[in-house]
Amino acid sequence: MTEAIQFGSRTIDFRLEYSDRKSLGITVTPEMEVLVKAPTDTTMEKVKEKIRKKAPWIIKQQSFFLSFQPKTPKRRYISGETHLYLGRQYRLQITIANDESVKLKGKFIEVTALEKSRVKELLNTWYLQHAQTKFHSIAAPLIDKFKKYNVSPSSIVLREMPTRWGSCTPKGKIILNPELIKAPKGCIEYVIIHELCHLIHHDHTQKFLDLQSREMKDWEKWKMKLERILA
């Protein structure tokens, strides 16, 4: 059952589930969804009252998840169209020829393809290859910095995630969204540091925020830039 409450100018949507539990619990998922689990005899009035009390915490939790709602216009993969790489805009220059390649040249991303229908796949493969190389080179010094806390990720992997920039598994694997290759280096560093902090503090507690601020004083600037450029 989906319901909502008004908190100031914010509308908080939540999903309510009744069960045999004894107390009411509220969780915020990485996709920013609010889940409420309540004992079967709880009134809706009591549920909404509890959510109003927890509203500041809910909003804070939502704002610190590395999530995004894609708003970028759908790409058409035609000559002259702009595409981002490491925070800079480049224009696509498409050539139809007997060989295939993608090259960064001046203000252009030059794509040579056998036919127009191949451009999207070639460009996405190029982005992925660059993401794998760049993310690991950007992460290496940051991982070294975190060794003073006696933590290190078990691995760093790339995975397409529809609504998230990064995540950290309980076993210490850091997952990064390859779309990040389109963002400036500072944004990529912010996402990696955010996930490294999760190796120490699993939730977005004050201790987590203090650690993140200690390791990257201007993280809020990069978070805002990431949301403005790519979301």
Side-chain angles (χ1 to χ4, degrees):
M1 175 191 316
T2 305
E3 293 283 340
I5 66 148
Q6 201 67 30
F7 182 76
S9 60
R10 291 279 293 257
T11 300
I12 298 175
D13 295 301
F14 63 92
R15 201 167 84 228
L16 177 61
E17 291 175 7
Y18 288 106
S19 66
D20 292 335
R21 58 188 292 139
K22 289 179 181 174
S23 59
L24 189 147
I26 300 172
T27 54
V28 180
T29 73
E31 284 72 37
M32 300 194 295
E33 188 181 19
V34 180
L35 299 178
V36 181
K37 292 187 178 178
T40 45
D41 59 349
T42 313
T43 64
M44 183 60 73
E45 194 179 320
K46 195 169 181 183
V47 169
K48 289 188 175 181
E49 183 190 332
K50 180 84 173 189
I51 291 171
R52 278 192 193 94
K53 276 186 184 172
K54 296 278 282 183
W57 174 83
I58 290 168
I59 292 164
K60 190 175 179 182
Q61 286 292 96
Q62 287 177 324
S63 68
F64 286 114
F65 273 120
L66 280 172
S67 55
F68 70 103
Q69 311 301 321
K71 294 191 277 285
T72 310
K74 198 170 181 184
R75 306 282 84 186
R76 292 163 63 205
Y77 299 93
I78 56 172
S79 285
E81 184 177 57
T82 58
H83 286 253
L84 287 163
Y85 175 67
L86 290 175
R88 291 185 178 178
Q89 282 198 340
Y90 294 87
R91 288 194 178 276
L92 268 192
Q93 199 168 71
I94 298 165
T95 306
I96 304 302
N98 290 328
D99 60 343
E100 294 192 321
S101 65
V102 181
K103 292 172 186 169
L104 207 59
K105 203 167 181 182
K107 293 181 179 180
F108 295 92
I109 298 176
E110 297 181 348
V111 181
T112 304
L114 294 170
E115 51 189 54
K116 283 182 182 177
S117 61
R118 296 271 302 138
V119 173
K120 181 180 178 179
E121 188 185 334
L122 287 167
L123 189 58
N124 286 346
T125 301
W126 180 83
Y127 271 129
L128 188 60
Q129 287 168 347
H130 280 258
Q132 284 167 336
T133 309
K134 290 282 183 187
F135 290 177
H136 283 90
S137 66
I138 291 169
L142 302 175
I143 291 168
D144 277 345
K145 272 179 74 180
F146 271 76
K147 283 179 180 170
K148 61 178 178 263
Y149 301 113
N150 296 316
V151 294
S152 186
S154 57
S155 61
I156 291 183
V157 298
L158 275 62
R159 185 188 301 159
E160 285 184 21
M161 294 179 279
T163 58
R164 298 184 71 181
W165 294 122
S167 68
C168 183
T169 70
K171 290 185 177 177
K173 178 164 73 176
I174 289 177
I175 302 163
L176 298 174
N177 190 329
E179 280 285 294
L180 270 172
I181 195 62
K182 298 172 184 178
K185 185 186 175 189
C187 296
I188 300 168
E189 287 175 332
Y190 156 63
V191 174
I192 293 168
I193 286 169
H194 182 101
E195 299 308 339
L196 287 169
C197 288
H198 276 314
L199 296 175
I200 302 162
H201 302 293
H202 302 301
D203 296 318
H204 296 116
T205 57
Q206 193 57 50
K207 284 183 179 178
F208 170 89
L209 295 175
D210 291 344
L211 175 63
Q212 185 170 262
S213 297
R214 194 155 62 241
E215 292 302 323
M216 190 179 205
K217 287 183 173 64
D218 57 353
W219 67 266
E220 286 181 271
K221 177 185 92 174
W222 292 109
K223 182 179 191 291
M224 284 171 67
K225 189 166 270 199
L226 180 59
E227 289 167 353
R228 196 170 63 246
I229 288 175
L230 290 185

